[in-house]
Amino acid sequence: MKPVDDHLSDILRTVRVLAPLELELERALGTTLAEEVTAPVAMPPFDNSAMDGYAVRAEDVADTPVTLPVIDDIAAGDGRLQAIGPGMVMRIMTGAPLPAGADAVVPVEWTDGGTAQVVIGRPAQKGNAIRGSGEDVRAGDVVLPAGTPIGPAQLGVLAGVGRRRVLVRPRPRVVVISTGAELVEPGLPLGPGQIWESNSFALVAGVREAGGDGYRAGIVGDDAAGFLDQLDAQLLRADLVITSGGVSMGAYEPVKEALGPLGTVRFERVAMQPGMPQGFGVVGEDQVPIFALPGNPVSSFVSFVLFVRPALRKMRGLPEEPTPTVRAVTTGPLRSPEGRRSYLRGVLGPGGTVGPVRRQGSHQLAALAAADALIVVPEDVTELPEGTDVEVIPL
């Protein structure tokens, strides 16, 4: 059997980073920045008030209380050239430009709120409640380097430096195809020998959570020709394809039957449990990566975590990194087959502990839903006593 790490290495050598494209800011959430973004002007571009209050000369309010005349109001967005002289103040609003001659802002809470004249009850030091020009960034400073994932804060920065469009690596478009004559769409009645299809819902959700755009392509029965027709139709909108089911050693395995003769997809036994049967390769003129995952729900999900999620990360232009893990101490004994790396479903507990869920079958979806971690048991280990320090993949 093929080692897990070797299988992942082959995948990451094959998968390509998506080509960059320019998007409007409204469509850039979840993408990865493909250019360095600099500030064309200082941020903020002018000295302005951090609070509602009064623009003053600090020396005029050194001895309080003091009563001073209010000579004008300055609102945010006021473009007039304003100035104050000795013994004068201006009422100023948050974000409004500081008038020449002022070197401090007295918050309105320190005053009686007067409009013609104001009583100031506390002194203000130079620079009080003032946002200085260039305090955030200076003109020409890099505000976001290439390779930055774009979230809400990054979108705010891009807009704040005047960008309307940005060059990004897009969210990968991932199509999920489930196979199996026994599968029925949720919401429809079950016939004899049938089950409701669930894998595609979990896989599409995993894709979206991992930064891609996932699409369900519906169910294909145990028919290789029908599967190829569906695959050809979906390649037009796919950067990556995931299939579930149809890759085991028995009869009626449509994915294996359809893709095997192409010579571009390999089907292998990977030394892991669950998820031993795996297929991976490329299809179509554009060499679109395809993951042929096993059909058992837990096997499919674990395979996604170990193999598809790192591939999506690379496609997004993010650094290649191993699946994040933590250390925890087991609250119960563990068993694992010799020669396979096990990923046991577990629940993280207080004090850095982890306990296995009671049901570990690869078909037991409810037990997977109750877990929040995968406990990793190495290939050369068959038993671990309670209290063992183990590697854990948080879900």
Side-chain angles (χ1 to χ4, degrees), residues 197-221:
E197 196 278 316
S198 61
N199 285 1
S200 67
F201 290 90
L203 291 170
V204 165
V207 167
R208 293 173 180 168
E209 193 175 60
D213 290 328
Y215 307 95
R216 292 183 67 241
I219 300 168
V220 177

Side-chain angles (χ1 to χ4, degrees), residues 9-390:
S9 294
D10 288 346
I11 289 167
L12 293 180
R13 276 196 296 269
T14 302
V15 169
R16 301 186 300 265
V17 180
L18 293 181
L21 61 103
E22 195 173 51
L23 293 179
E24 297 281 341
L25 288 191
E26 289 87 349
R27 297 177 55 205
L29 181 66
T31 63
T32 304
L33 194 60
E35 61 173 321
E36 182 179 84
V37 175
T38 59
V41 298
M43 294 176 59
F46 51 85
D47 294 345
N48 67 89
S49 178
M51 304 180 72
D52 292 338
Y54 297 84
V56 303
R57 301 191 328 152
E59 62 186 274
D60 291 338
V61 296
D63 297 318
T64 54
V66 62
T67 302
L68 297 171
V70 180
I71 64 171
D72 205 346
D73 286 356
I74 313 175
D78 193 328
R80 296 175 297 164
L81 295 176
Q82 300 275 50
I84 62 170
M88 304 174 186
V89 305
M90 286 187 180
R91 197 162 62 144
I92 192 168
M93 310 308 158
T94 302
L98 197 70
D103 57 13
V105 171
V106 176
V108 69
E109 293 84 357
W110 299 1
T111 75
D112 67 350
T115 56
Q117 62 180 20
V118 62
V119 177
I120 297 173
R122 289 175 55 180
Q125 302 297 318
K126 283 186 177 182
N128 187 69
I130 293 175
R131 303 166 177 158
S133 174
E135 186 178 288
D136 190 1
V137 294
R138 297 166 299 180
D141 281 355
V142 174
V143 294
L144 292 173
T148 300
I150 299 179
Q154 289 72 35
L155 280 175
V157 169
L158 289 167
V161 297
R163 296 296 293 268
R164 195 67 185 84
R165 299 172 65 85
V166 65
L167 190 68
V168 299
R169 298 195 186 277
R171 294 167 61 93
R173 301 167 301 166
V174 181
V175 171
V176 178
I177 305 172
S178 290
T179 67
E182 76 280 15
L183 301 179
V184 176
E185 285 285 345
L188 299 179
L190 292 178
Q194 293 182 324
I195 61 172
W196 284 301
E197 196 278 316
S198 61
N199 285 1
S200 67
F201 290 90
L203 291 170
V204 165
V207 167
R208 293 173 180 168
E209 193 175 60
D213 290 328
Y215 307 95
R216 292 183 67 241
I219 300 168
V220 177
D222 292 333
D223 174 54
F227 170 78
L228 281 177
D229 288 343
Q230 177 71 289
L231 179 61
D232 287 341
Q234 296 301 324
L235 285 178
L236 294 173
R237 64 166 178 171
D239 299 309
L240 184 147
V241 175
I242 304 173
T243 69
S244 72
V247 297
S248 296
M249 302 300 292
Y252 307 109
E253 303 295 347
V255 176
K256 200 170 185 179
E257 182 182 343
L259 299 181
L262 299 181
T264 59
V265 180
R266 295 183 63 182
F267 292 89
E268 302 175 285
R269 298 167 70 234
V270 177
M272 59 185 285
Q273 183 172 321
M276 181 179 65
Q278 296 285 333
F280 175 76
V282 294
V283 290
E285 292 182 3
D286 293 331
Q287 301 286 283
V288 175
I290 184 168
F291 287 83
L293 306 183
N296 278 322
V298 179
S299 302
S300 174
F301 181 80
V302 170
S303 301
F304 177 87
V305 171
L306 297 179
F307 304 129
V308 183
R309 202 155 66 181
L312 289 173
R313 183 176 175 85
K314 179 176 179 179
M315 293 175 75
R316 295 175 62 204
L318 299 175
E320 294 181 28
E321 296 178 353
T323 301
T325 62
V326 298
R327 306 297 299 188
V329 176
T330 59
T331 60
L334 306 176
R335 298 178 62 85
S336 175
E338 186 176 0
R340 296 193 213 173
R341 187 181 301 177
S342 283
Y343 297 90
L344 304 176
R345 278 67 70 204
V347 176
L348 291 165
T353 60
V354 65
V357 299
R358 187 167 58 88
R359 300 182 302 279
Q360 293 289 335
S362 61
H363 62 291
Q364 291 173 317
L365 190 56
L368 173 64
D372 62 7
L374 297 176
I375 306 169
V376 183
V377 182
E379 293 87 339
D380 57 351
V381 175
T382 57
E383 294 187 35
L384 291 174
E386 179 181 338
T388 302
D389 182 75
V390 292

